[in-house]
Amino acid sequence: MVLKLPHPGTLVAFAIVSLVAGGFIALATVDGGTPALLSIGPYLGRVLAFSIAQALLSTALSLVLGIGLALALARRRFPGRDLVLATLSTTMVLPTIVAVFAVFAVYGRSGWIADMLAFFGHSSSFSIFGYPGILIAHVFLNGPFVARITLDGLNQVPAEHWRLAGALGFTPAQIFRHLDWPVLRAELPGIAGLIFLMCFKSFAIVLALGGGPSRSTLEVAIYEALKIDLDFGRVAWLALIQLAICLSMTGLLHWAFTRPPVGHTIRSLVRRPDAKNRRLKTLDAIVLIVSALFIGPLAFSVLTGFRSLLAVIDADLLRAFLTSLAIASAAAILACLLAYALASAARRRRIVLRSPRMAAFYDILPDALLAVPPFALTAGLFLLIRRFGDPSTAGFILLPLINGLAAVPFAYRYVAPHLLTTEERYGRVAASLGLTGWSKLTIMDWPVLKRPLAAGFALAMALSFGDFGIIALFGGMELVTLPYLLYERLGAYRLDEASSIGLVIVLFAVLLAHVSGRLSHAGD
């Protein structure tokens, strides 16, 4: 009897599940027992209440700003519109630690608004700590994301629909009801769920702008339990609660996210019939001005780093840059390999073996990784490394590993659709020729896969390069990345240096995101 080796994607899926389960088991059993959930009941109630409240508020405000801005941009053509769209795309990949700096630079006690009020002889008692700073940072990051995704959806409405609406004399209300609302109704559940998930798990923003223990998300509470209290039992409970909530949201996201049906037509530039309405002109002007006043200063604050850029270029900055680059490269390689293996297994289950339910498992697994609390997983894996190896090297192992796992969902979305397409087109021919394994990859998959795989690599690298998460646990004299260096400068109120470091992070992340976007839209 010949034993048949499992598919590599099955081994990868098993390894991911085992890694997460092993980390949580190590975390829960480190003290030899399990803590009582009631022992953190009141504290847990406060953290949960704040996590949910700030996530709901951030999501609602981001949707209001993003939808209003998307509709205004869909109706209007004006000089500088391409620059606005580029700015929206830039904020989508902006690292959270850079957003924290932007809020400090504009709204802080030594920020632009405070300086402007002082110039006119007024003093400001406004504090960015707590809800104000957290909401401003979240809306700054997520509002443009909503606008960009919604605008792309609105642009998919066929040109014939707009011509028909103009011929029938649709009013602005009828246009919104019959053309805009179907797109919004299909897009918003998925967008809102994703934003809620990101805000609920927010770490760097809440850590820097929360203002105290009373303003903590579960992610920050897990970090504090690890970094300050070394209470692994509390970490395990908090992590399991967050995992349950986030997995529920991830499942809801998969169920709710559907795109609107699109006619088989080329979307040409057609002037919307409601663009001539005077009331909408006034409303769009107000929305564009408010958005510019809110997003513009925060985005521009990063560019002020040009003034001190030469002053911060030293050995520390170079070492931090190379460390970030090495970690991001390793994380991106890992993310792409895992994404390819999972997508290949999903393709085999769906098309070859005709097992859509098992294929759905491989599709859901990457998104389920978003629900895993990274600090809890890191702590559990650190405990495992400590048993079998040198704990001083844990940071160099866990940083690319955790960042790579976090980037798998994004790389998977680039790879999976193209693998399905190649199998549908050439799968039977490849089977008749006996192409399997490496030969199938090089001959059938690689010509179609090389561009989306490179796009996924660039985006995964951009996400890891600017991440301020796990480095908060391991950062120190021996391990310093650019986000950690930026956080140190912010803590010392050296805003000029922080601005320059933030600029370096943003420029490199935007470059990678631009490369990713160009490759993802390029022809095969």
PDB file of all heavy atoms in Angstrom, residues 470-484:
ATOM      1  N   ILE A 470       4.044  43.999  17.359  1.00  0.00           N
ATOM      2  CA  ILE A 470       4.872  43.069  18.118  1.00  0.00           C
ATOM      3  C   ILE A 470       6.208  43.696  18.511  1.00  0.00           C
ATOM      4  O   ILE A 470       6.787  43.338  19.535  1.00  0.00           O
ATOM      5  CB  ILE A 470       5.099  41.785  17.304  1.00  0.00           C
ATOM      6  CG1 ILE A 470       3.755  41.199  16.885  1.00  0.00           C
ATOM      7  CG2 ILE A 470       5.858  40.758  18.119  1.00  0.00           C
ATOM      8  CD1 ILE A 470       2.798  40.967  18.033  1.00  0.00           C
ATOM      9  N   ILE A 471       6.672  44.647  17.722  1.00  0.00           N
ATOM     10  CA  ILE A 471       7.940  45.310  18.071  1.00  0.00           C
ATOM     11  C   ILE A 471       7.828  46.038  19.407  1.00  0.00           C
ATOM     12  O   ILE A 471       8.839  46.268  20.081  1.00  0.00           O
ATOM     13  CB  ILE A 471       8.355  46.290  16.935  1.00  0.00           C
ATOM     14  CG1 ILE A 471       9.757  46.860  17.186  1.00  0.00           C
ATOM     15  CG2 ILE A 471       7.344  47.413  16.799  1.00  0.00           C
ATOM     16  CD1 ILE A 471      10.842  45.833  17.208  1.00  0.00           C
ATOM     17  N   ALA A 472       6.599  46.394  19.809  1.00  0.00           N
ATOM     18  CA  ALA A 472       6.413  47.052  21.111  1.00  0.00           C
ATOM     19  C   ALA A 472       6.813  46.126  22.255  1.00  0.00           C
ATOM     20  O   ALA A 472       7.182  46.604  23.336  1.00  0.00           O
ATOM     21  CB  ALA A 472       4.954  47.483  21.272  1.00  0.00           C
ATOM     22  N   LEU A 473       6.748  44.807  22.047  1.00  0.00           N
ATOM     23  CA  LEU A 473       7.167  43.855  23.070  1.00  0.00           C
ATOM     24  C   LEU A 473       8.668  43.614  23.062  1.00  0.00           C
ATOM     25  O   LEU A 473       9.299  43.506  24.104  1.00  0.00           O
ATOM     26  CB  LEU A 473       6.450  42.513  22.864  1.00  0.00           C
ATOM     27  CG  LEU A 473       4.967  42.429  23.223  1.00  0.00           C
ATOM     28  CD1 LEU A 473       4.423  41.066  22.852  1.00  0.00           C
ATOM     29  CD2 LEU A 473       4.753  42.706  24.700  1.00  0.00           C
ATOM     30  N   PHE A 474       9.260  43.539  21.863  1.00  0.00           N
ATOM     31  CA  PHE A 474      10.655  43.122  21.733  1.00  0.00           C
ATOM     32  C   PHE A 474      11.610  44.268  21.430  1.00  0.00           C
ATOM     33  O   PHE A 474      12.823  44.057  21.402  1.00  0.00           O
ATOM     34  CB  PHE A 474      10.779  42.055  20.631  1.00  0.00           C
ATOM     35  CG  PHE A 474      10.054  40.788  20.934  1.00  0.00           C
ATOM     36  CD1 PHE A 474       8.842  40.498  20.334  1.00  0.00           C
ATOM     37  CD2 PHE A 474      10.566  39.885  21.848  1.00  0.00           C
ATOM     38  CE1 PHE A 474       8.168  39.329  20.612  1.00  0.00           C
ATOM     39  CE2 PHE A 474       9.896  38.703  22.134  1.00  0.00           C
ATOM     40  CZ  PHE A 474       8.692  38.432  21.520  1.00  0.00           C
ATOM     41  N   GLY A 475      11.073  45.463  21.159  1.00  0.00           N
ATOM     42  CA  GLY A 475      11.941  46.576  20.807  1.00  0.00           C
ATOM     43  C   GLY A 475      12.856  46.966  21.950  1.00  0.00           C
ATOM     44  O   GLY A 475      12.472  46.965  23.120  1.00  0.00           O
ATOM     45  N   GLY A 476      14.085  47.312  21.616  1.00  0.00           N
ATOM     46  CA  GLY A 476      15.056  47.707  22.633  1.00  0.00           C
ATOM     47  C   GLY A 476      16.377  48.036  21.984  1.00  0.00           C
ATOM     48  O   GLY A 476      16.447  48.406  20.811  1.00  0.00           O
ATOM     49  N   MET A 477      17.441  47.880  22.724  1.00  0.00           N
ATOM     50  CA  MET A 477      18.759  48.241  22.224  1.00  0.00           C
ATOM     51  C   MET A 477      19.178  47.356  21.049  1.00  0.00           C
ATOM     52  O   MET A 477      19.811  47.822  20.105  1.00  0.00           O
ATOM     53  CB  MET A 477      19.787  48.120  23.355  1.00  0.00           C
ATOM     54  CG  MET A 477      19.569  49.119  24.482  1.00  0.00           C
ATOM     55  SD  MET A 477      19.751  50.830  23.934  1.00  0.00           S
ATOM     56  CE  MET A 477      21.497  50.831  23.529  1.00  0.00           C
ATOM     57  N   GLU A 478      18.824  46.070  21.096  1.00  0.00           N
ATOM     58  CA  GLU A 478      19.291  45.144  20.060  1.00  0.00           C
ATOM     59  C   GLU A 478      18.343  45.055  18.876  1.00  0.00           C
ATOM     60  O   GLU A 478      18.751  44.627  17.796  1.00  0.00           O
ATOM     61  CB  GLU A 478      19.487  43.749  20.668  1.00  0.00           C
ATOM     62  CG  GLU A 478      20.566  43.687  21.726  1.00  0.00           C
ATOM     63  CD  GLU A 478      20.761  42.286  22.259  1.00  0.00           C
ATOM     64  OE1 GLU A 478      20.036  41.380  21.788  1.00  0.00           O
ATOM     65  OE2 GLU A 478      21.630  42.085  23.126  1.00  0.00           O
ATOM     66  N   LEU A 479      17.085  45.404  19.053  1.00  0.00           N
ATOM     67  CA  LEU A 479      16.093  45.266  17.996  1.00  0.00           C
ATOM     68  C   LEU A 479      15.273  46.539  17.901  1.00  0.00           C
ATOM     69  O   LEU A 479      14.389  46.800  18.721  1.00  0.00           O
ATOM     70  CB  LEU A 479      15.183  44.053  18.280  1.00  0.00           C
ATOM     71  CG  LEU A 479      14.138  43.722  17.214  1.00  0.00           C
ATOM     72  CD1 LEU A 479      14.803  43.475  15.867  1.00  0.00           C
ATOM     73  CD2 LEU A 479      13.322  42.514  17.631  1.00  0.00           C
ATOM     74  N   VAL A 480      15.583  47.356  16.894  1.00  0.00           N
ATOM     75  CA  VAL A 480      14.903  48.639  16.693  1.00  0.00           C
ATOM     76  C   VAL A 480      14.485  48.736  15.233  1.00  0.00           C
ATOM     77  O   VAL A 480      15.312  48.629  14.329  1.00  0.00           O
ATOM     78  CB  VAL A 480      15.811  49.833  17.049  1.00  0.00           C
ATOM     79  CG1 VAL A 480      15.079  51.150  16.792  1.00  0.00           C
ATOM     80  CG2 VAL A 480      16.255  49.759  18.506  1.00  0.00           C
ATOM     81  N   THR A 481      13.190  48.919  15.003  1.00  0.00           N
ATOM     82  CA  THR A 481      12.679  49.166  13.657  1.00  0.00           C
ATOM     83  C   THR A 481      12.319  50.641  13.533  1.00  0.00           C
ATOM     84  O   THR A 481      12.302  51.379  14.526  1.00  0.00           O
ATOM     85  CB  THR A 481      11.442  48.301  13.384  1.00  0.00           C
ATOM     86  OG1 THR A 481      10.397  48.674  14.295  1.00  0.00           O
ATOM     87  CG2 THR A 481      11.757  46.828  13.539  1.00  0.00           C
ATOM     88  N   LEU A 482      12.005  51.069  12.319  1.00  0.00           N
ATOM     89  CA  LEU A 482      11.636  52.467  12.123  1.00  0.00           C
ATOM     90  C   LEU A 482      10.385  52.860  12.909  1.00  0.00           C
ATOM     91  O   LEU A 482      10.358  53.938  13.519  1.00  0.00           O
ATOM     92  CB  LEU A 482      11.438  52.755  10.630  1.00  0.00           C
ATOM     93  CG  LEU A 482      12.711  52.956   9.810  1.00  0.00           C
ATOM     94  CD1 LEU A 482      12.358  53.218   8.356  1.00  0.00           C
ATOM     95  CD2 LEU A 482      13.544  54.107  10.352  1.00  0.00           C
ATOM     96  N   PRO A 483       9.300  52.051  12.912  1.00  0.00           N
ATOM     97  CA  PRO A 483       8.148  52.426  13.746  1.00  0.00           C
ATOM     98  C   PRO A 483       8.493  52.536  15.228  1.00  0.00           C
ATOM     99  O   PRO A 483       7.974  53.416  15.917  1.00  0.00           O
ATOM    100  CB  PRO A 483       7.143  51.290  13.485  1.00  0.00           C
ATOM    101  CG  PRO A 483       7.496  50.789  12.134  1.00  0.00           C
ATOM    102  CD  PRO A 483       8.986  50.896  12.060  1.00  0.00           C
ATOM    103  N   TYR A 484       9.348  51.643  15.725  1.00  0.00           N
ATOM    104  CA  TYR A 484       9.743  51.726  17.130  1.00  0.00           C
ATOM    105  C   TYR A 484      10.560  52.992  17.387  1.00  0.00           C
ATOM    106  O   TYR A 484      10.396  53.656  18.419  1.00  0.00           O
ATOM    107  CB  TYR A 484      10.553  50.490  17.521  1.00  0.00           C
ATOM    108  CG  TYR A 484      10.824  50.385  19.006  1.00  0.00           C
ATOM    109  CD1 TYR A 484       9.863  49.856  19.858  1.00  0.00           C
ATOM    110  CD2 TYR A 484      12.029  50.812  19.538  1.00  0.00           C
ATOM    111  CE1 TYR A 484      10.104  49.765  21.218  1.00  0.00           C
ATOM    112  CE2 TYR A 484      12.285  50.719  20.900  1.00  0.00           C
ATOM    113  CZ  TYR A 484      11.319  50.195  21.742  1.00  0.00           C
ATOM    114  OH  TYR A 484      11.567  50.109  23.087  1.00  0.00           O
TER     115      TYR A 484
END
